[in-house]
Structure formats: structure tokens, C-alpha cells
Amino acid sequence: MSKTTSNQMWGGRFAAGPDAIMEAINASISFDKRLAAQDIAGSRAHAAMLAATGIVSSSDAEAMREGLLTVLSEIEDGSFEYSTALEDIHMNVEARLKELIGEPAGRLHTGRSRNDQVATDFKLWVRDQLDASEAALITLLQACLAQAEAGADWVMPGFTHLQVAQPVTWGHHMMAYVEMFGRDLSRVRDARARLNECPLGAAALAGTSFQIDRDMTAKELGFDRPSANSLDAVSDRDFALEFLSAASICAMHLSRFAEELVIWSSAQFRFVTLSDRFSTGSSIMPQKKNPDAAELIRAKVGRIFGANVALMMVMKGLPLTYSKDMQEDKEQVFDAADNLMLALAAMEGMVRDMTANRDNLAAAAGSGFSTATDLADWLVRVLGLPFRDAHHVTGTLVAMADEAGCDLPDLTLAQMQSVHSDINDTIFDVLGVENSVASRVSYGGTAPAQVRSQVARWKEVLE
Ligand code: ARG
């Protein structure tokens, strides 16, 4: 194993540099460079606070500010040279600052530690992701709303057990996803509100003897307040776990929708036609148009939920406060965030572009004895039968239709009367699928009028 003779970072205490394997397992710069902008924002706020409180001179703080801006521009234009020997983004930025401005750079770390620094940087990063997820969810919700509005009264089969159950409207089905993504939106907003306390100034774990102004840095970085317990501030990763949990549930919703799109776009269903922009062909079968985007969205929940579980496992046994284990938080969150954003964008594109095949939906809506419940309800309402008896009579009629190879509305009145003599021809009024959905006017039901009022409500909510 190779060894270097001096230690670039901990020269005072360490005579020897790290083993190459130590450097490899320890360094996080390969991934935490994604925190660069947040790290520099945190350092700028800290430097300004150190000057405002008289802990460093204003000329030193000005040098830090200028230097940090230069570092940021080097990172942005790609000229910044990252060093693995410097472990992480915090040390990389500070070392470059030292090269640029000399001695004042050494005063920047007064009254803080990498422990509160990384917690702050990571919170800022996750907060940006929550904001980006919020925006993406709103766009997706709008795409679902547009579908719902266009097809508020288009009939389609509703399913339980993937067996035809009762007719519903296309708009109602789309609005079910609006409810689901709407809850995702509120989870993202809740998580953001809880995240928004600033760890900076908790220092290593116990706070600091310098008279720092934590309110100032918290405000400068857009936090609502400083976190109230320094031990918790550096050991807490709930904000990352809340993001991953919200992302997992959202990804699960996306996956269920994706699964429906895969089924609906198949030759057996043909409920929807997905656009060419979100489909692929087959290299051997010329007729194929595959719903790859939907399939990949369906799969994303695996890695996102995996990240959630992985970070739970990392955190569950850790004593307070910071342990290096916690460095393993970032890659999980980065990967989950990247893939959630991709999945949200792809779903939004698919939903916006897809065509619901109204005729096929309507044809399927009438199949599978989907108005059997309407028939039973009619027997209760008009003939006064107890529902259990009505259920039995209807079951007999379904068996009769099944035997005859026809649908319920195709049975003759005489056939129906052979099962229950009081049945009259007004029963045919409730057997059509249009009648069926129009009658489901209870709040939250599938009637077009209900769907339209939910669309209107959501449009207002999203404004
Ligand atoms: N790279 C570290 C991380 O991501 C920064 C904090 C290091 N703190 C420490 N005490 N070693 O967790």
C-alpha cells in the first residue's frame, strides 16, 4: 500500500498521510461536489456573520466574500480542480480559498465545524430538491387535470382485482391520480417546513464559545430559524429521510400509473395511445411500439425506495452525534432525487401527450356486466327488495346473460321477469353505462358533474 509522508489536512496531529485505501474509503469529493454552491452560500453567510459580530475584521470578511465568489465561478466554469486528498467539498473549497486570499481563509472556520457545515449544505440541497419536486408535481397535476377535464364524461370500465367492476368516467380515473399526486405535493411541502431550521453554528456538536449570531446566518440562508439543539443539529438526517419517504410514496404512485399505461396501451386494451415521443420500437418486430418510459418509471420506485431503506439502515444504530457513517447519506439522496425528477418529467410528458381512445373505452365500459350493481340498486329502489335479495336476483340474471353470451341490457324483459316477476321495463333506464355513471352523484362519485366540480376545485387549489 502506498503511503505519503505528510498529511495535507491534519499536519499538526498527523505525521503520516493516509493509506491509499483509507483515502479511497474516506473521500467524498467524487459525489459531494454537488454541494459546492450550497457550501459556498453557507460560507458566505458565515463570513458575513463573523464580521457583523466582530469575530473577524470586515476586511478579512470582504476578502473571504470575494474569494468565495471566485471559487464559485471556477466551479461553475469547470476550471476548479478537485482533490481527493482534500476529502470533501468543504476542504476543497477552503483550500482553494487559501490559495486565493491567503491568511484570512484560515479564519473562516471560526465558530463552525464540518459537522454543522455539511448538515447545512445538505439541507440547502434537499430543500432545493423539495422545491423542484413541488414544481414538477404541479406540472404533472396540471397534465392530469387537462385529461380529466377533456374526458369528464367519457365512460370506461372501473376495475377491482383488475376485473371489470362498474363503469366510471375517464375524468374520474384521472382525478384519482390528481388526489394521489396532490398528497405527494402536500408531503413535499410539509417536509420543507420541518426541514427549514438552520444547523450552522452548532459547530462540532456542542455549540461554540464565540458570540456568533445564529439568527443572522439562518435568515441569510432562507431558514425560518436556527435549530435549537446543537447535538441534534449535527446528528439529524430526518430531512433527508423525509425527502426519501415522500419520494418513495410519490414514485409508488408514478409506478401504479405507469403500470396502468402499460396495460392500457396494449393491443388487448387499447384504452390509450401513447405518443411516439414517449415510446420506442423493436429492433426485430416492426409492428411494435413499446411503452418504455412507463416501464422505466414503474421500475424507478425500486431504487428510490432502496435509497430510503439504505439511509434508514445507516442511521438506525448511530449514537449521537455525528459519525462518519452519515457521509453515506448523499449518494442515496442524489440518486433518488435525480430519478424522481426524471420519472415526474417523463410521466408529465406521457400524460400530456397521450390520447384516450374514447370509443374503445366506451365499448369496454359496457362489458363484463358492469351495470350489475345498478340493476341490484334498481331492485331495491323500485321494487323495495332488501339489498341481499336484490344481489341474489341480479346474480341469477348475470348467470343467465353469461349463458346466453350477451350483456345485461340485451336480456329481454320476459327473461328478466322469469327471475323476478315484478321487474318492469323501466329497469332498462339504469342499465346503460351512461345512465350508470350519471347516477353516481354522491360526493366524490364518478358522475361527470362531480368530476367537473373536482376539476374546478383543483384548478383553484393550484392557482
Ligand atoms: N464529508 C463529511 C460528510 O459528508 C463532512 C463532515 C465531516 N466531519 C467529520 N467530523 N469528519 O459527512
Side-chain angles (χ1 to χ4, degrees):
M1 293 287 143
S2 71
K3 282 191 200 259
T4 46
T5 47
S6 69
N7 190 298
Q8 227 183 319
M9 289 188 300
W10 327 119
R13 167 77 173 77
F14 285 69
D19 189 278
I21 294 297
M22 180 58 203
E23 191 172 287
I25 194 173
N26 195 38
S28 53
I29 189 63
S30 64
F31 51 87
D32 69 14
K33 60 169 93 159
R34 288 185 70 171
L35 301 177
Q38 289 76 12
D39 194 68
I40 288 169
S43 287
R44 286 182 56 195
H46 188 67
M49 182 278 291
L50 291 177
T53 51
I55 296 167
V56 303
S57 70
S58 48
S59 61
D60 278 356
E62 183 50 29
M64 291 176 203
R65 198 186 79 87
E66 292 277 316
L68 286 165
L69 286 174
T70 305
V71 177
L72 182 62
S73 67
E74 289 177 358
I75 287 170
E76 282 171 354
D77 71 21
S79 63
F80 189 91
E81 279 177 37
Y82 296 99
S83 153
T84 309
L86 289 168
E87 273 190 39
D88 58 24
I89 187 62
H90 323 295
M91 301 303 285
N92 269 267
V93 168
E94 195 182 312
R96 179 65 185 137
L97 187 66
K98 180 98 192 295
E99 286 173 6
L100 289 167
I101 68 169
E103 203 227 49
R107 300 184 193 281
L108 175 60
H109 215 51
T110 313
R112 79 170 183 190
S113 144
R114 276 191 299 164
N115 295 350
D116 57 339
Q117 196 179 351
V118 72
T120 305
D121 294 1
F122 198 30
K123 272 196 168 183
L124 290 171
W125 196 93
V126 171
R127 194 174 70 187
D128 283 350
Q129 278 308 306
L130 289 168
D131 291 344
S133 312
E134 178 181 19
L137 277 164
I138 290 173
T139 320
L140 174 58
L141 281 162
Q142 279 157 349
C144 295
L145 274 175
Q147 284 285 352
E149 192 167 30
D153 57 359
W154 300 354
V155 290
M156 68 177 283
F159 298 89
T160 60
H161 314 265
L162 197 55
Q163 308 288 325
V164 170
Q166 294 174 359
V168 296
T169 49
W170 171 257
H172 199 48
H173 202 111
M174 289 299 113
M175 290 306 287
Y177 283 104
V178 167
E179 293 294 328
M180 291 152 79
F181 296 131
R183 287 193 295 275
D184 292 326
L185 182 65
S186 82
R187 261 185 288 277
V188 159
R189 288 173 173 165
D190 287 351
R192 191 193 199 281
R194 257 187 307 281
L195 165 149
N196 216 23
E197 294 185 342
C198 186
L200 194 59
L205 76 164
T208 173
S209 58
F210 292 98
Q211 295 294 308
I212 58 172
D213 182 349
R214 292 194 60 205
D215 288 307
M216 180 179 167
T217 41
K219 185 161 180 252
E220 179 60 32
L221 294 169
F223 289 103
D224 297 329
R225 64 193 82 86
S227 50
N229 182 298
S230 62
L231 302 175
D232 176 52
V234 296
S235 72
D236 164 45
R237 289 296 180 273
D238 289 4
F239 60 95
L241 287 165
E242 279 201 58
F243 169 69
L244 292 173
S245 319
S248 297
I249 297 175
C250 178
M252 176 272 287
H253 290 157
L254 289 167
S255 181
R256 293 181 73 174
F257 201 173
E259 166 70 357
E260 296 211 301
L261 295 182
V262 169
I263 295 172
W264 290 353
S265 62
S266 69
Q268 289 71 24
F269 272 75
R270 294 211 271 172
F271 283 6
V272 297
T273 305
L274 299 176
S275 78
D276 290 354
R277 301 186 335 131
F278 288 94
S279 307
T280 58
S282 157
S283 53
I284 178 167
M285 296 164 284
Q287 86 283 11
K288 294 268 284 191
K289 187 167 144 184
N290 295 327
D292 291 34
E295 294 166 82
L296 288 162
I297 292 170
R298 191 172 57 186
K300 292 295 185 196
V301 65
R303 62 200 293 168
I304 293 173
F305 193 64
N308 190 15
V309 173
L311 187 54
M312 285 293 276
M313 289 299 111
V314 167
M315 297 304 295
K316 78 166 185 69
L318 297 186
L320 304 190
T321 54
Y322 178 86
S323 296
K324 198 60 173 266
D325 311 49
M326 289 160 69
Q327 180 166 285
E328 291 284 312
D329 55 2
K330 291 168 209 67
E331 285 165 292
Q332 300 296 343
V333 171
F334 292 159
D335 185 75
D338 291 345
N339 284 286
L340 179 69
M341 291 311 291
L342 255 181
L344 282 168
M347 183 56 89
E348 191 262 323
M350 276 197 303
V351 172
R352 199 188 43 220
D353 279 15
M354 78 181 168
T355 310
N357 301 325
R358 193 177 173 178
D359 294 342
N360 295 343
L361 288 169
S367 70
F369 312 111
S370 66
T371 54
T373 314
D374 299 275
L375 196 159
D377 287 351
W378 183 92
L379 294 169
V380 170
R381 210 171 34 245
V382 180
L383 302 189
L385 261 56
F387 185 79
R388 286 294 160 212
D389 297 349
H391 187 285
H392 185 81
V393 170
T394 307
T396 311
L397 289 168
V398 165
M400 181 183 273
D402 200 20
E403 179 88 351
C406 68
D407 244 312
L408 284 174
D410 306 323
L411 291 174
T412 65
L413 184 58
Q415 281 174 306
M416 294 205 194
Q417 284 170 339
S418 73
V419 178
H420 196 291
S421 56
D422 293 348
I423 293 177
N424 61 55
D425 61 4
T426 65
I427 196 168
F428 290 100
D429 295 345
V430 300
L431 291 186
V433 288
E434 307 277 347
N435 295 329
S436 170
V437 297
S439 72
R440 298 271 189 296
V441 289
S442 53
Y443 179 79
T446 198
Q450 279 297 328
V451 173
R452 289 194 181 99
S453 87
Q454 291 300 330
V455 169
R457 181 176 72 82
W458 270 102
K459 277 185 164 174
E460 227 166 84
V461 168
L462 293 180
E463 246 159 39

